[in-house]
């Protein structure tokens, strides 16, 4: 076969079965999980006015460098749009637009787009699920959000997940810390990597995010946020930690966890899968963003949420050899050597009974159809030959074990199969 002229764009991929089945399972499990905590689904547009994302912070990399943006076709007044790089900003925009009753608890699932350098576990289109609570600053909401994310990883079978938490304080504490940190980093500038010197000018906090070896010593000795928290922020952080302890959710305090987005205040957290390659081992994260709704033109509204990277979660499941018990196979394969009309009718009938049914196309020989039946992984074959057709019967053949065969009246086969399959 020659190479196709077109390839999927860089950083994107075609996900097919069984990986797509696993992904569907993860998303369905997430939906079910969040519904047990009274979160409703929100489906918002995949693209928004670029300004929505710019409110995340002009210095945030996903905004300044990684946005897929474009203009619509309005000749007079083209709108500058962008594919969403994450969903929190869209949800805050939706909140500001519709002003729902608070607390507003929503979950989502969908693709996100970032113009990143593709590598294992890092794509330009990737799938996230997540949840947000808007309209309360109660530390209970922080605890609910973090424990829901934790319980999701547990529920799908991951056992080697670490939760890191930190507090960035309210804007006042954060600004004081930021100034102190900027001074400290500036003093030790010579020891930093070139990239971090550039980052330092625009966003000192982000220097703490650097994974470059050269920066590590300076980062390790940097002042920590916790000692800059004012009383209110420190109390909030304490209540979050106490709540997680009460629930038995294990966590580690990571004093330099700042995360990529500029809008975070107070609680921030990240879920790490040590089973994954170190550079891409974050499988989820989130935090508080009191102030984002306001920045989007809404009323003063607190919010907290998390996002889980489904592609990476699946990689972690593979690394931990999590087995998904999914019912995705074919139940029965219809083999028709009388011309195809019988296969057409019977497949239609069985599918209406929710029996997973497949068949061949193209008038293949008995041998060819039996081969296809074996390859399909189906548990049973139903064979309709001229003799069976004349007698108004079908042959039911067990494709595993001894290959037992029985003759079944044509009008009983659906009912019989249902009974047999329910017993399995
Ligand atoms: P963030 O919105 O950056 O906090 O990301 C939340 C989660 O989404 C991360 O923990 C990753 O699991 C996942 N994620 C972020 N960026 C990518 C990407 N480029 N490719 C795949 N997964 C990603």
């Amino acid at each position: 076969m020659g190479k196709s002229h077109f390839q999927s764009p860089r950083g994107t991929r075609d996900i097919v079965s069984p990986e797509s089945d696993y992904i569907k399972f993860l998303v369905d499990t997430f939906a079910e999980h969040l519904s047990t905590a009274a979160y409703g689904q929100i489906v918002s547009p995949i693209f928004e006015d670029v300004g929505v994302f710019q409110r995340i912070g002009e210095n945030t990399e996903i905004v300044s460098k990684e946005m897929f943006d474009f203009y619509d076709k309005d000749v007079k007044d083209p709108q500058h749009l962008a594919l969403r790089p994450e969903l929190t900003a869209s949800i805050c925009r939706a909140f500001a637009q519709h002003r729902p009753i608070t607390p507003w608890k929503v979950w989502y699932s969908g693709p996100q787009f970032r113009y990143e350098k593709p590598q294992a576990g890092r794509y330009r289109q990737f799938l996230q699920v997540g949840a947000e609570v808007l309209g309360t600053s109660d530390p209970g909401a922080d605890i609910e959000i973090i424990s829901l994310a934790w319980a999701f990883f547990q529920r799908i079978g991951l056992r080697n997940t670490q939760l890191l938490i930190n507090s960035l304080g309210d804007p006042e504490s954060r600004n004081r810390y930021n100034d102190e940190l900027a001074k400290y980093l500036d003093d030790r500038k010579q020891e930093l990597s070139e990239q971090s010197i550039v980052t330092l000018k625009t966003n000192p906090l982000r220097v703490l995010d650097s994974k470059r070896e050269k920066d590590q010593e300076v980062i390790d000795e940097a002042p920590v946020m916790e000692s800059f928290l004012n009383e209110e922020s420190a109390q909030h952080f304490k209540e979050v930690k106490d709540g997680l302890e009460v629930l038995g959710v294990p966590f580690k305090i990571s004093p330099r966890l700042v995360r990529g987005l500029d809008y975070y205040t107070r609680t921030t957290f990240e879920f790490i899968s040590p089973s994954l390659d170190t550079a891409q081992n974050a499988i989820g994260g989130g935090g508080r963003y009191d102030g984002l709704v306001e920045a989007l033109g809404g009323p003063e509204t607190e919010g907290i949420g998390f996002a889980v990277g489904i592609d990476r979660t699946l990689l972690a499941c593979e690394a931990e050899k999590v087995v998904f018990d999914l019912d995705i196979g074919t139940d029965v394969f219809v083999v028709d050597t009388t011309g195809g009309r019988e296969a057409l009718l019977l497949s239609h009938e069985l599918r209406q009974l929710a029996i997973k049914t497949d068949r061949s196309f193209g008038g293949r020989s008995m041998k060819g159809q039996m081969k296809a039946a074996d390859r399909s992984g189906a548990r049973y074959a139903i064979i309709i030959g001229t003799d069976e057709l004349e007698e108004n019967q079908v042959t039911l053949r067990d494709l595993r074990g001894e290959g037992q065969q029985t003759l079944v009246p044509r009008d009983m086969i659906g009912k019989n199969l249902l009974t047999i399959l329910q017993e399995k």
Side-chain angles (χ1 to χ4, degrees):
M1 243 188 299
K3 199 173 157 194
S4 150
H5 184 56
F6 291 112
Q7 309 277 307
S8 57
R10 201 164 128 73
T12 70
R13 67 214 166 99
D14 302 307
I15 305 171
V16 298
S17 181
E19 196 187 350
S20 49
D21 300 307
Y22 302 151
I23 287 179
K24 179 174 183 299
F25 167 74
L26 293 177
V27 174
D28 289 350
T29 305
F30 186 80
E32 216 269 309
H33 183 56
L34 269 290
S35 74
T36 64
Y39 286 66
Q41 185 179 14
I42 175 164
V43 181
S44 66
I46 280 184
F47 55 89
E48 297 267 1
D49 192 292
V50 77
V52 170
F53 305 121
Q54 280 162 346
R55 298 301 183 282
I56 296 171
E58 299 276 5
N59 294 327
T60 303
E61 242 159 62
I62 63 171
V63 176
S64 62
K65 295 196 193 135
E66 299 176 359
M67 206 112 84
F68 279 94
D69 63 322
F70 55 98
Y71 286 87
D72 74 12
K73 294 187 194 303
D74 192 304
V75 185
K76 280 200 201 113
D77 186 18
Q79 193 178 4
H80 192 181
L81 299 161
L83 299 182
R84 63 186 182 204
E86 54 113 61
L87 256 159
T88 305
S90 300
I91 290 170
C92 290
R93 191 270 307 141
F95 183 93
Q97 185 175 340
H98 306 294
R99 315 281 165 107
I101 293 167
T102 57
W104 196 45
K105 307 212 295 185
V106 292
W107 71 269
Y108 60 79
S109 125
Q112 317 296 332
F113 306 86
R114 296 180 191 176
Y115 193 78
E116 304 211 59
K117 198 169 155 221
Q119 48 193 292
R122 187 174 287 284
Y123 313 107
R124 288 185 176 172
Q125 175 174 337
F126 57 98
L127 184 61
Q128 280 184 342
V129 293
E132 318 280 346
V133 182
L134 280 98
T136 174
S137 63
D138 189 330
D142 305 42
I143 300 162
E144 177 167 301
I145 277 288
I146 298 173
S147 59
L148 278 169
W150 168 259
F152 171 66
F153 292 126
Q154 295 295 302
R155 186 164 170 172
I156 60 173
L158 286 176
R159 291 292 170 263
N160 193 14
T161 305
Q162 274 174 17
L163 165 60
L164 307 177
I165 66 169
N166 188 25
S167 175
L168 293 176
D170 56 15
E172 188 226 356
S173 323
R174 186 178 161 155
N175 286 343
R176 271 194 304 133
Y177 175 59
N178 200 51
D179 293 348
E180 199 62 33
L181 183 69
K183 234 185 278 158
Y184 164 83
L185 292 172
D186 200 58
D187 284 348
R188 296 187 63 174
K189 206 153 84 182
Q190 290 79 359
E191 298 165 66
L192 289 174
S193 67
E194 247 172 74
Q195 293 98 317
S196 287
I197 296 172
V198 177
T199 314
L200 170 59
K201 277 191 215 131
T202 52
N203 195 345
L205 273 173
R206 284 302 309 274
V207 174
L208 301 181
D209 250 359
S210 160
K211 303 270 187 305
R212 286 175 290 271
E213 200 159 316
K214 189 162 186 223
D215 300 323
Q216 291 318 306
E217 196 180 317
V218 181
I219 291 175
D220 286 343
E221 290 164 16
V224 294
M225 181 71 223
E226 207 171 346
S227 40
F228 287 80
L229 295 180
N230 60 18
E231 208 184 315
E232 222 186 323
S233 297
Q235 180 60 25
H236 185 97
F237 193 35
K238 183 181 177 304
E239 285 180 39
V240 173
K241 288 183 287 187
D242 289 350
L244 293 174
E245 260 159 33
V246 167
L247 295 180
V249 175
F251 61 86
K252 218 175 104 189
I253 295 179
S254 175
R256 296 183 186 86
L257 179 70
V258 293
R259 301 189 26 82
L261 311 179
D262 284 347
Y263 57 60
Y264 285 117
T265 54
R266 294 198 263 199
T267 316
T268 58
F269 55 94
E270 196 151 78
F271 291 93
I272 300 295
S273 172
S275 320
L276 292 177
D277 168 271
T278 50
Q280 314 298 339
N281 66 359
I283 53 175
R288 239 186 204 287
Y289 44 85
D290 307 342
L292 188 56
V293 173
E294 231 180 321
L296 284 157
E300 203 179 303
T301 310
E302 307 91 346
I304 178 152
F306 70 85
V308 166
I310 286 294
D311 311 77
R312 246 184 250 173
T313 299
L314 189 57
L315 290 174
C317 289
E318 276 164 23
E320 286 191 30
K321 304 207 164 29
V322 170
V323 179
F324 298 114
D325 184 19
L326 301 185
D327 185 19
I328 51 178
T330 306
D331 294 323
V332 52
F333 199 97
V334 179
V335 173
D336 174 10
T337 59
T338 68
R341 187 172 176 273
E342 294 308 308
L344 180 75
L345 286 169
L346 186 55
S347 304
H348 185 67
E349 192 180 312
L350 297 180
R351 287 166 187 165
Q352 278 174 324
L353 296 172
I355 296 172
K356 294 173 187 160
T357 310
D358 203 1
R359 53 160 298 195
S360 288
F361 292 108
R364 296 174 69 185
S365 68
M366 168 86 174
K367 205 171 144 209
Q369 291 187 51
M370 283 311 293
K371 231 186 189 167
D374 278 331
R375 212 177 307 126
S376 76
R379 182 89 175 88
Y380 296 98
I382 293 174
I383 302 160
I384 309 166
T386 21
D387 291 351
E388 282 99 341
L389 187 59
E390 244 163 52
E391 305 282 315
N392 237 335
Q393 292 181 319
V394 296
T395 298
L396 178 66
R397 181 184 177 121
D398 193 336
L399 291 175
R400 299 188 201 156
E402 306 281 284
Q404 257 182 359
Q405 291 198 168
T406 42
L407 277 170
V408 181
R410 168 66 180 80
D411 57 0
M412 291 297 288
I413 186 64
K415 230 169 154 197
N416 276 15
L417 261 176
L418 271 184
T419 314
I420 300 171
L421 291 168
Q422 265 155 18
E423 280 165 8
K424 294 282 165 218

